[in-house]
Amino acid sequence: MESTDVKNVAVIGAGSMGHQIAMLSALGGYQTTLQDIEQSSLDHALEKLAAIMNKWVKKGKITEEAKAKAFQYLHTTTSLEEAAIKADIVIEAVVEKLDVKQEVFTQLDDMVQEHTILATNSSTIVNSKIASVTNRADRICNMHFFFPPLVMDCVEVVKSEQTSDHTIQVATDFCKRINRTAVLMEKEIYGFIANRLLFALSKEAFHLYEEGYADFKDIDLVAKKALAHPLGPFEIADLSGIDVGYYANLQLYNETGDPADKPPKSVEEKIKAGHLGRKTGKGWYNYSEVKV
């Protein structure tokens, strides 16, 4: 399969990442199927995408005709097989848990065509750990989009020792067609590039907060004022989802067994309280009191 042969794309998981990745694919001219086990999640995803696209039309970022065409390309289903059976590329965007991703890939491996490329949107888990449960390690890679995908112009494409050069070429060409910059990682490492940089910053930020050196709001303020970051580490955690960072951190701890890699206590408290950031209305900040 050549890059020009890719016509059908499936995105598995209609959460905060999946539905926007699917829209990028549809905007790129691909017949795209967004799958989720919950119909309510698909309905909510379409509502959010309609709101975003309507704003784009008002701002002149896209025409009414282009918006309508993209939605014609976008389909939804609760059936994994229906989404996967005709797909040339499948992008998995489910919860950041290795066992869940492996279960999805095991099912996909039996459903998709021989040539189909399976990509994981995982922000930390290397694809070889997922490819191990399939019979197509050469056709598996990471395609890590950044939140929110419709805004952020970057995709980390990660190659394992088994991933073929052809797979990487098709994946990077796909990124170009959906107007996203692909950054290739020639070999695997936990967390890739952006998250390893972010982890280092966040780890120190949580240490300063938990040891009482400064309030989290002031730590964010220094990151923005002194380092010229658009958001502080606690604001980033709220934006991307505190649970996403927690499970990524937990995966690292499970791999290394190093107590230094264990999720911070303050983050565990947020998880237990169900305060996951913007998506729940409260995280480090209270979003019920401000317009977001």
Side-chain angles (χ1 to χ4, degrees), residues 123 185 189-201 252:
S123 59
M185 289 199 69
I189 188 171
Y190 176 89
F192 318 145
I193 301 171
N195 274 326
R196 289 185 71 85
L197 296 175
L198 181 59
F199 286 162
L201 177 67
L252 176 61

Side-chain angles (χ1 to χ4, degrees), residues 127-151:
N127 68 79
S128 60
K129 290 183 177 294
I130 304 170
S132 63
V133 300
T134 74
N135 295 305
R136 62 179 70 226
D138 62 317
R139 283 152 286 167
I140 292 179
C141 66
N142 287 82
M143 291 179 66
H144 173 221
F145 292 76
F146 290 84
F147 183 83
L150 284 168
V151 175

Side-chain angles (χ1 to χ4, degrees), residues 212-227:
Y213 290 106
D215 183 71
F216 70 88
K217 292 181 180 179
D218 291 325
I219 296 171
D220 276 352
L221 187 62
V222 169
K224 291 185 289 185
K225 295 293 186 180
L227 303 180

Side-chain angles (χ1 to χ4, degrees), residues 1-11 22 24-34 69-70 72-75 83-91 113 115-117 170-171 173-174 177-178:
M1 178 185 68
E2 299 303 319
S3 299
T4 53
D5 296 326
V6 177
K7 307 296 182 185
N8 296 285
V9 175
V11 179
L24 278 175
S25 176
L27 287 167
Y30 295 99
Q31 290 290 340
T32 306
T33 302
L34 176 63
K69 190 173 183 180
Q72 288 178 353
Y73 283 133
L74 183 62
H75 317 281
I85 195 167
K86 292 182 179 180
D88 300 304
I89 296 177
V90 179
I91 302 172
Q113 303 172 82
H115 70 265
T116 302
I117 290 172
V170 173
D173 286 347
F174 172 77
R177 182 164 166 181
I178 64 173

Side-chain angles (χ1 to χ4, degrees), residues 9-38:
V9 175
V11 179
I12 311 304
S16 58
M17 295 295 293
H19 74 286
Q20 292 200 17
I21 295 172
M23 179 52 77
L24 278 175
S25 176
L27 287 167
Y30 295 99
Q31 290 290 340
T32 306
T33 302
L34 176 63
Q35 186 273 343
D36 198 283
I37 59 175
E38 298 289 343

